[in-house]
Amino acid sequence: MSFLSTLIRAGAMLLLACGVAQAQIPPAAVDTDPARAQVKLPEPANPALPSIILIGDSTVRNGHDDGQGKGAEGQWGWGNPLAAYFDPAKVNVVNRAVGGLSSRTYVTSGHWERTLALVKPGDIVLMQFGHNDASPINDDKRARGTIKGIGNESQDIDNMLTGKRETVYSYGWYLRKFIAEIRAKGATPVVVSPIPRKLWNEEGPDAGKIRRGKGDYAGWAAEVARLEKVGFIDLNEMAARRYDEMGREAVMKMFPMTVPDERVHTNWAGAMLNAQLVVSGLKTLGDPRLASFLKPVEDVRPVVDARTVREESPLDPKLPTLFLVGDSTVKSGGQNGAIGWGERIAQYFDSRRINVVNAAIGGRSSRTFFTEGRWERVLGQMKGGDMVIIQFGHNDGGRIGDPANKNRASAPGVGPETVEDTTPSGSKEQVHSYGWYMSRYVADAKAKGVTVVIASPIPHRDKWQQERDFANFAEWGRQVAQAGGAHFMDLTMLVTDGYHKIGAERVDTFFSDARTHTNAAGAEFNAQRVVAGLKAMPGNPLRPCFSEKAAGIQ
């Protein structure tokens, strides 16, 4: 099932579970304006708990937060599905955004005063404004615009809508007001840049890509957050990047199919996507409380149905074979645009001299590749003189016994200890350590005269800049290789070092999802890093087998 289909299906299921009617009410007004914002906003369900409070416009909470009676195809803000990520026994999620308001009119309508009264020490307040701030400063319809930028300039007006004298300030001034008053209550402010519109650049170097807002409200939001030293979630860039990866046809399905074309407000699938990105952004802010606030959810890493995967075999059994064993970062098969490095490496080998067999499969760990019998089948194809690269780790983490982890986690370390787990069938399984499974692979392959290379996992998109990713798995892999007479390739650092050379902006174009799976360009890059690692092996044993395309790789 595609990422898009999963979003839509999950969205429909959650709507039904929550008792939301699919299409029983005729279409309602989309937005509310500052003078007529007749909405009933929620309050913390349990005042004794900390709260995550949202303020913003209709892209956060649309109208009466009911999809206008159109179910998943109505207009939804991301604040609604965001709540599903958090444990209500540990934190309230209070969506007090109001459709049609700007940073200015959220204040002048009285909504901010009423919301601030609910804020207490320990709360987190997310603010996302901008879509309505570009409106006219003074007219008889909404009078909601703010002065462009983040300066301290002001403008006195006789408000044509309210009939009152008013001093209007800049977009940045209102954000700073929210930040200061949130801090004064002992709470934590977080600035969120506005979601991108469904508009593509038509020309220039970014032709075909979603328009970003760095030159106005998204950029101003970032600058205010930087100057005020508060948390910032660049939802504008995160969503735009994801839209670019999805392609125009898929992006169209994130918005209601209406005439005229809806370019701002998402449907339920789009709201779910944006909520997912907000959660990802929250996780990067370094607030240790967030981990405890989040629900233990179903593991989103895909477990590929083995029936859909054709098992490969050597094209010419007389030749030596390079076998690849691993997870979806080695072989994804194009699911949701994901490509593993093993799917781009064959071009660097001369098919007249060596076979390349990619036996990796998505969603497997060192444990499940063994328990499903996959290793036994790959081992049966091996012969003396072959080589195997084994890369696991992405799916080995987590808690054994956690159903959300899909019975994939191995025990940490390299020792002989086991942990009992209950399988979906009710049987008991003695789960070994990561090192035990890797050691078994090494011993089995070497017994057949096969050269074994243990590769540490490719780094996550959100880890390579700040820290050494997969440090434990790399160390365990190194220990296993040393003890068993195998080679160790620190693929994590080979890729990380390569990323540092080309820079974060380009690296961000290498992924098909938020943090793990590469697209075709990323797979190509990582495949070249693997080739570089193979060339660095003592004696460069595969040197006669490389193709001309591998000549320039170092």
Side-chain angles (χ1 to χ4, degrees):
M1 182 180 292
S2 69
F3 173 72
L4 171 62
S5 299
T6 301
L7 277 177
I8 294 174
R9 182 182 178 191
M13 291 176 66
L14 184 53
L15 284 167
L16 289 171
C18 296
V20 178
Q22 290 293 308
Q24 299 175 356
I25 311 171
V30 174
D31 290 329
T32 54
D33 64 47
R36 307 178 185 87
Q38 304 298 318
V39 291
K40 182 175 176 57
L41 297 181
E43 297 185 1
N46 185 347
L49 295 177
S51 296
I52 298 174
I53 298 174
L54 315 179
I55 63 174
D57 53 34
S58 56
T59 63
V60 184
R61 186 182 193 271
N62 194 284
H64 295 282
D65 209 21
D66 60 0
Q68 298 82 50
K70 297 181 179 179
E73 293 309 310
Q75 295 184 4
W76 294 91
W78 55 259
N80 186 299
L82 183 77
Y85 285 88
F86 294 93
D87 187 345
K90 296 179 179 178
V91 66
N92 305 298
V93 177
V94 188
N95 188 355
R96 292 184 63 85
V98 180
L101 299 189
S102 64
S103 61
R104 164 193 165 193
T105 52
Y106 196 86
V107 173
T108 59
S109 63
H111 284 296
W112 175 236
E113 181 180 6
R114 291 187 289 274
T115 296
L116 186 62
L118 302 173
V119 178
K120 64 183 183 300
D123 288 350
I124 300 171
V125 182
L126 276 62
M127 63 190 80
Q128 186 221 271
F129 291 98
H131 280 286
N132 299 320
D133 283 73
S135 301
I137 288 177
N138 198 9
D139 63 12
D140 59 358
K141 296 179 174 62
R142 296 204 171 190
R144 58 186 179 178
T146 54
I147 296 173
K148 298 183 185 302
I150 64 171
N152 290 317
E153 59 268 37
S154 63
Q155 179 180 339
D156 293 325
I157 66 168
D158 292 313
N159 193 310
M160 297 169 63
L161 183 66
T162 65
K164 298 178 181 179
R165 188 73 172 169
E166 180 185 357
T167 301
V168 180
Y169 300 92
S170 74
Y171 172 75
W173 187 94
Y174 290 101
L175 294 189
R176 289 195 295 272
K177 174 181 173 66
F178 296 140
I179 290 168
E181 293 178 359
I182 292 165
R183 279 174 162 165
K185 297 290 289 278
T188 301
V190 177
V191 177
V192 183
S193 60
I195 64 170
R197 295 174 185 268
K198 191 182 67 179
L199 292 171
W200 286 267
N201 292 304
E202 300 299 333
E203 55 188 25
D206 293 327
K209 292 186 176 181
I210 285 287
R211 294 184 192 176
R212 270 68 166 171
K214 291 182 179 179
D216 46 54
Y217 296 95
W220 296 333
E223 185 67 4
V224 169
R226 184 185 69 83
L227 292 173
E228 295 298 317
K229 296 181 173 56
V230 300
F232 177 64
I233 298 174
D234 197 354
L235 184 56
N236 184 271
E237 176 61 30
M238 294 168 73
R241 188 184 303 145
R242 182 65 68 86
Y243 288 171
D244 288 342
E245 294 167 352
M246 294 166 61
R248 188 177 295 236
E249 182 177 350
V251 171
M252 295 294 287
K253 296 178 182 178
M254 296 289 105
F255 293 78
M257 298 295 188
T258 61
V259 179
D261 190 26
E262 176 54 57
R263 296 180 175 181
V264 177
H265 303 97
T266 58
N267 59 22
W268 183 256
M272 286 185 68
L273 171 60
N274 289 330
Q276 180 190 75
L277 296 174
V278 171
V279 171
S280 298
L282 284 168
K283 290 178 179 178
T284 68
L285 298 182
D287 190 327
R289 299 173 299 165
L290 286 167
S292 65
F293 291 164
L294 290 167
K295 285 181 182 176
V297 296
E298 177 74 358
D299 195 326
V300 298
R301 293 169 295 180
V303 176
V304 174
D305 186 344
R307 294 169 297 182
T308 67
V309 179
R310 180 182 64 84
E311 294 190 2
E312 300 179 13
S313 58
L315 293 177
D316 187 345
K318 299 187 294 295
L319 296 176
T321 299
L322 172 64
F323 290 91
L324 311 178
V325 169
D327 53 35
S328 55
T329 63
V330 183
K331 184 178 184 178
S332 289
Q335 183 178 15
N336 299 324
I339 304 291
W341 60 258
E343 297 169 271
R344 290 295 184 268
I345 203 169
Q347 62 186 310
Y348 298 111
F349 293 92
D350 188 341
S351 60
R352 297 168 298 179
R353 296 176 179 270
I354 191 170
N355 305 297
V356 177
V357 173
N358 190 350
I361 183 169
R364 271 56 178 191
S365 62
S366 65
R367 166 190 171 186
T368 55
F369 197 90
F370 182 82
T371 57
E372 290 178 5
R374 299 187 175 284
W375 173 248
E376 184 178 5
R377 292 197 292 277
V378 175
L379 187 66
Q381 299 183 44
M382 294 181 182
K383 62 183 183 303
D386 290 346
M387 179 182 286
V388 59
I389 302 175
I390 305 171
Q391 183 220 280
F392 288 108
H394 277 279
N395 299 316
D396 282 81
R399 180 173 61 84
I400 296 173
D402 182 0
N405 210 31
K406 303 173 184 176
N407 298 94
R408 297 188 286 191
S410 57
V414 298
E417 60 273 14
T418 62
V419 178
E420 187 173 87
D421 193 12
T422 302
T423 69
S425 67
S427 63
K428 302 295 183 181
E429 177 188 354
Q430 296 302 314
V431 180
H432 298 275
S433 69
Y434 173 80
W436 186 93
Y437 294 107
M438 300 297 277
S439 296
R440 176 66 183 267
Y441 296 150
V442 170
D444 287 349
K446 284 182 65 66
K448 299 194 73 170
V450 175
T451 300
V452 183
V453 179
I454 294 178
S456 59
I458 63 169
H460 287 107
R461 179 183 192 170
D462 57 351
K463 289 288 188 67
W464 67 272
Q465 294 186 77
Q466 291 81 26
E467 61 186 87
R468 197 251 193 261
D469 205 2
F470 291 107
N472 286 339
F473 288 101
E475 180 56 28
W476 298 333
R478 193 188 307 274
Q479 292 178 24
V480 168
Q482 184 175 1
H487 299 273
F488 176 73
M489 180 191 297
D490 195 347
L491 184 55
T492 315
M493 292 310 298
L494 279 169
V495 174
T496 296
D497 291 343
Y499 283 174
H500 280 293
K501 290 178 181 178
I502 64 175
E505 184 173 354
R506 185 178 172 197
V507 171
D508 278 345
T509 69
F510 283 176
F511 288 82
S512 65
D513 61 14
R515 66 190 305 260
T516 302
H517 299 96
T518 55
N519 54 25
E524 177 80 23
F525 184 90
N526 291 342
Q528 292 183 14
R529 295 299 85 216
V530 175
V531 170
L534 291 172
K535 286 185 172 183
M537 289 173 59
N540 192 3
L542 290 180
R543 178 171 50 192
C545 300
F546 288 120
S547 67
E548 292 182 359
K549 290 193 70 172
I553 298 176
Q554 299 294 331

